[in-house]
Amino acid sequence: MSESGINRRDFLKVLGLGGSSLALTGCGNTDIRSGDEVIMPNVQPEDFVVPGLSVYYASTCRQCGSACGVMGRVREGRVLKMEGNPASRISGGKICGLGQAAVQVQYNPDRLTQPMMKVGSSLQPISWDKAMALLDEKTGPKSGIKGEEFGFLTGAMSGHLNVLTQNYMESLDSRNHYVYEALSPAISLAANRRVYGVDQPRLHFDKAKLIVSFGADFLGTGASPVHFAAEYAKFRKAPRGTLVQIEPKMTMTGGNADRWIAIIPGTEGVFALGIANQLLKHSEFTGTVPADIVDLVSKYDADTVSRITGVRSELVGHVASLLWEKTPSLVISGASVEGHAHGVQNAVAVQLLNQILGNVGKTIDGQAQSPFPQLSPAAGSFSALKAMNEKMGADEFKAVFIHGANPVFTAPSFMGFRDNLRKVPFKVAFVNALDETAEECDLVLPIFTAVEEFGSNVAWYQPEGVEITIQQPLMNQLYPDTRSMGDIMLNLVKARKADEYKAWPDFFSYLKTAIINIKPVVKYTDTDEHFWYDTLSNGVIHVDGAPQQVSAKFAATDLRLPASANAQDPVYPFYLVPSERHYFRDGRHANCGWLQESPDPMTTIVWDSWAEIHPKTAASMGIKEGDWLEIASQNGMLKVKAYVFPGIHPDAISIPLGQGHESLGRYAKGVGVNPFRILNPVFEKDTGELALYGTRVSVRKTGNSEIVVKDEGPVNTQMGRKLVVTLPADVAQLSKEI
Amino acid sequence: MIHRLLAAMFFVFAFSGMANAEPFKWGGPIGSQTSDGYNALGPVVQQPIEFPHYRHARDMGINCMYCHTGARRGYVSVIPRIDKCIGCHQSIESVRNKPRIKKLFWYWDHKEPIPWKKVNDLPDYVRFNHERHIQRFYFRQNRPVREVCGYCHGDVANMTVDRRVKALSMGWCISCHEKDHRENDVSMKTSHGPYECWQCHK
Amino acid sequence: MVNTYEETEVAVEKKFVKKEHDINADIEWAKINKDILRSLERPRAIFWVIFVASFALFMVGVSCEVYQYQTGLGVANLDNPHVWGLYVATFIWWIGMGHSGTLLSALLHIMHADWRKPIYRYSEAMTTFTLLTAAMFVLVHLGRIWQFYYVVAYPNERWTWPNFQSPLVWDATAIGTYLTSSLIFLYIGMIPDLAICRDNAIGFRKKIYLFLSLGWMGTDRQWANFRVTYLTLACFLMPLAVSVHSIVSTDFAASQQPGYHITSFPPYFVAGAIYSGLAVIITLFIVLRYTFRFEEYMTIPILEKLAKLTFAAAMVWTYLNLIEYASTWYGNDMYAKQALIYRATGNFAPFWWMMNFLGSVLPFALAFKKVRTNIPVMLVLSILLNFGMWLERWMIISPTLAHGIYPWTWDHDQWPSFVQWGIVAGSFGWFNMLFMLYCKIFPSISMYEVKEMLYERRSFKTKKVAEEVSNPELAVEGGLAS
Amino acid sequence: MSITNLLNNWSFYRQKRPFRGQYDLNKQYSEYKWAMALDLDICTGCNACTTACYAENNLPVVGKERYQHGYAMHWIRIERYWDENMGEFPESGTSFLPMMCQQCEEAPCETVCPVGATNHTNDGLNSQNYHRCIGSRYCSVNCPYKVRYFNFWNYPSTAWPSPLQDQLNPDLTVRTKGVMEKCTFCVQRLNEAKSRARTEYRLVKDGEVVPACVQACPTNAITFGNIVDPKSKVAKMWKNQQVDLYKDEQEKDSSMRGYRILEDLRPFPSVMYMERVRDMEA
């Protein structure tokens, strides 16, 4: 063990005033007493540890992929709270509720505290020695496992753990590293590549005067919600920008829009082309747009667009005139645009507006190129899961590892993932808590949570330059029988390539060496140790990189949208909108009480799933709030309570994702329903990704009803009180404000 | 007769409030009441090491805050960390073989904290801020340390193991907060302590 | 012109006494003692039925309270905007009932209305026990019962005072004062009777009555002091009783909650209190009359008088009630108006309308003599009126909390749980139990005052007859002969 | 419990609050008056503040059943209102309103508490002392904003199954059954900062301490500070928005967005909201 590593862990171990202060106060000691309680003084603490005062350590939030820099508040050796790290450009010192819940992941009462092995049909605790022996027996060098017989499924990863994982796969000579995210940006990336020539351009919300967002819930669930929220705040300051949101179901971003337009899911591209048609009537655009696009666009006059999209025809011209008046603007597309069989085409049609309006270079430009491409995140995709699933189904695997993903929960039922997984002879899951996937595995290894672990992360979306966020433990491991994922990976690699890795006894020293290697790039002049400690206390390393070149040319010459996306289906008349809840995402943190009890912003519902239905539709079907509905697709049926919600298209039904766990502990199990189950096998044509929004459903009233548990009372307006006052933008003088 | 009794009762009730008296509370053997009317001597507490405060604070004249380092900068005064004890005692050979010192070194060698018992233990919901009191009376008003600490802790410098001597009740706190204290050693300006619930109740 | 003495007597009887014929003036004094002391010995079997039922009910209440104490107030199904419920409503109701006993007794005593004499003792006892019951609700309602003494101003080691601005502190003080003085009033009025008990009792009971009767010998000096004391206390209690319920009403009137914040609440509460108190006096009248065979003392004419008084109180209450609605309806306070509309149309509408019907419409039945003199009907009616008054209190508390100023917290789920109902029921058990015990232990009709009453009636009659006989002129003009 | 103490406090109580000059550095009544400015135009309704409050203030997670019955303990809640004259769709979005204790100067809750468990601190906060509270719930009845939350259940025994209790903030009490609680503007942080400042013979600097909700808010919609200090950001914002702490009816330009909720009831809240802006031409 390296010297500083011991110190670090040791001083986290100091008890401070532990023991006594652990008791729940308020119902504990209420008298003046002597000699009843014990004080444990520190043995040899760091100088800055004063009992009774908090210490803040910089780290990285791993609750979603945004990799916000955070500070953990530590008292007496326990991490109490997460705050934003002001040094981080991504978080800017702020944090969302999902990030706050990291401490609840850490102290979760249902955390897995020791390795488990499948005996018969149930998981039984075993010791780490036995577990590692088993792991070695099945996948170690002596097991004779071949590269193609081994699969490793992970969630999106970045930083040095990703590097180690790649090296491990390399040492096994396996190419079966599957990076899977249930809510992956893969379609968006494909569309971006076609329009801009890069995976992910940088979006300047703050510079735009008008944002036209087609279903992009950038404030709630986007690539970097905390950063986008900060940008949004600047966008709303004088001169105040206008937000137009076009989507089938009102997201949180839609709730903040100046103009919200309901649209039939999948027809956003048509609407965008209709806008383009109106725009191109301005003589300024003559000759700037390729002829084939002009041709294509000219078919979409306002009435046609209105017929296809279900939006009032004058709104097409209205949005077009807004785009014409307010420059620079920014047009973005989101999940509800992309999750269709023609998702890429749809998104390209939307992004085309940026090209027509010349926004590239103004509100859209390139992200910095990372000088360390190996640290960059591996983007997750559904096709990875599909490939793995097929191989599993064909019995090609002898062993699979699963880390950072819960495919048994998130895979649609038509895939038969659970059954295929069961065919694999040896399945290992690395988890914090027993989830649905871990329950199916033969060996379940409890790993450190993000607040106990060292690591490095590079975010998918980089605001400025490249930010490498450093993750350091905020407290010593809570349970003795948990281990660092980094250490496990390092040991696995060492088992195969002992020589190359012998310099590093543990992942900490590996990471430290690796980080110190960055030193020359950031032109740090002091010693290595100083650099390391500076980095730890800062929590971030900022590296400059040349910006990627974003193409301002029209690349989408073969744009083709389906003639009519608005097809009628007599059996399944409704479009299913599986909406992403901003603190649930794909449901991996549903076992945090705080998140369960944090009301959904639009409906204020807690602890449940619900089906949003438009008042008009509800009235025609005689549905009231709280009625149990049967929502059926070709692949299954969900029973869920109705919530009558005006912010949804009358032909759409929206059920939030992330709930409906069959496992994952007391706070998640049995709460709500899982819409992933009933998705139809509709795939995006260009990328092969699952089209999340491509499922049609039928709705049937069961006749039963139950109270919907929500924060909202029986009325949802202000009843004449002056609670929230709205001021027209032309009256407000934001420029005079401070 | 009855009139006198009634009058006496009336005065007892009426002036018991004004005279800031606290109801009699059993706190130790008879005769152990402290001079200010608070019968508050706490029980004798058995500590893992019978620490001789008199040796350090009286005989050696060590400032309380040399060991209780938190008192000037935090809410709690801090029981000294063990390396503090060791820092001195490893070079004091003369007492190296005393049983208490041996016990201390046992803890040090095993890197284990000493399980001291809490003597001046306030209810869990009370936040007593040592820092403010020390800053105000020791540093600002320049009063001797044994007086400043002793106001609440008693004459610890003449004790072996510490023993609670004051009531530490809310009324007792307020009785002092109510008084006008000089703001520093030169100015004659006075001010009293805060009364707000939230100053101490958390 | 044949004015024989007998004829004159009959005529006087007809003209003056019949009119006041609420009690048979010829009852022997010894019989009074015997009849009333009999209530301490052997009541009808219904007494034991009531007592056991009340005790059972009380135990239900106690178990609910123990459960609530252990678990927290959540089991009462109160929730966050809707923090008050049946406890406060029932508290006010009991307090209100407590008004009539002492108030009626003291008022009628001062006004020399001697028909009060057979009924005032149990009314005062009722007052005392309703106040005890009400005080119990204050405790039951608290989140931390075990800290209730924080409300009382007394020297303590925390050096803290209660908040004298709070209506709840006024409440505690007012109820404490009223309870103490009611108890003293009851006790002082009982002393001569306790002496009678002492004289008739044997065994350990004699010792108790001996102690309680404070050496009453019935000397002139004792009687003189007694009268002065009693009258003074009556004069003191009159304004106190009015002030107590006015103070209770400030719990609401001093708050900002729409539906509470109403200036006319003090008289409104007092009127309601007297109203419900009279109704309960009628109920108890009927119960005692039957249980203890008091038919000769608690006569129908007295019942009728009570009924008329109730009718008057009901009309005063109705008037003040309508004033409240009108001032809210025509006022400028949007919040209060919405709350009023909610009361009439929302979840609580059936109860609200029932309250108005029972409180304002039903009393008109009392306008009919047939109703007033029919005992079973009066029993049912008095209970219904009281139920109406209870609903009134509930309709002040609950619907307004469910529909206050802030629309986001408007409530949808506020039906009281079995714990609340259980404790409310238990309070009836508690009250009945205490009251029945009291009636069993102490004379529930004032023997000495009934004797006074009879004495006055007789002397009045004698005096009149003598006047008539000695004044034939008057007799002719007055047409006594006819 | 001295009479002088009572009388002194009493005379302070009986004054009309807030009185002019009460929060003025020159007049020296008080050095601090904590206040907020909350911009509803950039509040996105994301609930980060709520979760931060749960983390900072030991708020219990009550569970579905109890949430349904109105036992939620969120000291700050995000309300969502639809426009009253909405057509088929909410075309101008929705209105989010974060609502927490407004720390009223003339707080309706303070006068009615029988034991004085809630009263005014010198720095303008509406304090809530859990250990004095006997649970009469009168304060909640009288609170027009309904931001006081009563512990109807014994949450310490259920809401933090082990080891969740290790997360609890030791700087403030975990409330047991039967007491009222509410937003404190994170007074434990304020006290710590004030104490630190006093040790250094200075006032708390602007931005040195903020409540958990302000610290978390991703859009910086909430500004917090000491309004006594005219140089603090929050004081500047109040002045700029022409909202006067001492007035119950503001006279301001129609273009200015500052207002306080339910001002007509004269509680003199310490939280200034800034109106939501909507581009009516969009």
Side-chain angles (χ1 to χ4, degrees), chain A residues 191-202:
Chain A
N192 287 339
R193 276 193 295 273
R194 289 203 27 198
V195 182
Y196 308 115
V198 296
D199 277 353
Q200 174 69 58
R202 203 179 141 204

Side-chain angles (χ1 to χ4, degrees), chain A residues 186-499:
Chain A
I187 303 174
S188 163
L189 305 189
N192 287 339
R193 276 193 295 273
R194 289 203 27 198
V195 182
Y196 308 115
V198 296
D199 277 353
Q200 174 69 58
R202 203 179 141 204
L203 308 170
H204 294 275
F205 292 92
D206 52 337
K207 286 187 190 159
K209 290 228 178 64
L210 172 71
I211 298 174
V212 179
S213 155
F214 287 79
D217 184 15
F218 58 89
L219 294 174
T221 59
S224 197
V226 175
H227 171 68
F228 287 163
E231 296 258 296
Y232 167 82
K234 286 182 210 151
F235 158 78
R236 285 300 204 193
K237 293 277 167 63
R240 184 176 181 279
T242 302
L243 173 63
V244 176
Q245 183 89 359
I246 301 153
E247 58 192 357
K249 167 230 152 34
M250 186 183 266
T251 57
M252 196 177 89
T253 311
N256 288 294
D258 293 281
R259 166 68 75 150
W260 184 81
I261 297 168
I263 191 167
I264 293 173
T267 63
E268 291 89 346
V270 174
F271 193 77
L273 293 183
I275 293 170
N277 187 17
Q278 302 283 331
L279 279 175
L280 291 182
K281 288 178 184 157
H282 292 281
S283 56
E284 281 82 352
F285 292 122
T286 319
T288 62
V289 182
D292 55 341
I293 288 183
V294 176
D295 246 19
L296 175 80
V297 157
S298 62
K299 286 187 288 184
Y300 293 99
D301 61 90
D303 289 334
T304 316
V305 169
S306 173
R307 187 171 43 76
I308 296 174
T309 61
V311 179
R312 295 201 308 275
S313 59
E314 74 266 22
L315 284 177
V316 183
H318 180 68
V319 177
S321 65
L322 281 176
L323 280 168
W324 173 245
E325 283 161 17
K326 296 179 190 273
T327 50
S329 58
L330 176 63
V331 183
I332 49 178
S333 67
S336 69
V337 175
E338 290 146 7
H340 298 276
H342 56 287
V344 170
Q345 300 290 340
N346 222 6
V348 167
V350 168
Q351 305 279 16
L352 200 61
L353 288 173
N354 280 326
Q355 299 285 24
I356 293 173
L357 292 161
N359 290 335
V360 176
K362 291 178 190 156
T363 55
I364 296 173
D365 59 19
Q367 297 204 59
Q369 262 166 336
S370 170
F372 311 104
Q374 73 277 19
L375 296 182
S376 296
S381 68
F382 177 80
S383 35
L385 187 75
K386 205 161 68 172
M388 182 185 180
N389 191 37
E390 277 158 14
K391 281 200 172 182
M392 288 195 308
D395 286 331
E396 287 181 24
F397 285 136
K398 277 193 180 154
V400 291
F401 287 1
I402 299 173
H403 168 58
N406 185 3
V408 172
F409 175 74
T410 53
S413 57
F414 67 79
M415 290 177 76
F417 185 87
R418 193 191 293 250
D419 296 333
N420 286 338
L421 183 66
R422 281 179 183 158
K423 288 184 187 171
V424 180
F426 186 62
K427 312 164 283 275
V428 186
F430 304 88
V431 290
N432 294 135
L434 272 182
D435 56 19
E436 287 82 349
T437 309
E439 301 259 21
E440 296 297 330
C441 288
D442 300 299
L443 188 63
V444 186
L445 299 177
I447 54 168
F448 286 176
T449 60
V451 298
E452 294 169 332
E453 179 76 288
F454 273 107
S456 60
N457 290 276
V458 178
W460 178 251
Y461 183 87
Q462 293 289 349
E464 198 185 335
V466 176
E467 178 168 299
I468 302 169
T469 41
I470 306 298
Q471 191 183 339
Q472 69 171 319
L474 302 174
M475 66 182 287
N476 195 36
Q477 65 190 89
L478 190 62
Y479 296 108
D481 273 347
T482 53
R483 285 194 186 176
S484 153
M485 186 65 194
D487 284 352
I488 295 174
M489 284 314 299
L490 189 71
N491 286 337
L492 287 175
V493 182
K494 270 186 180 173
R496 299 202 175 252
K497 292 183 174 174
D499 291 349

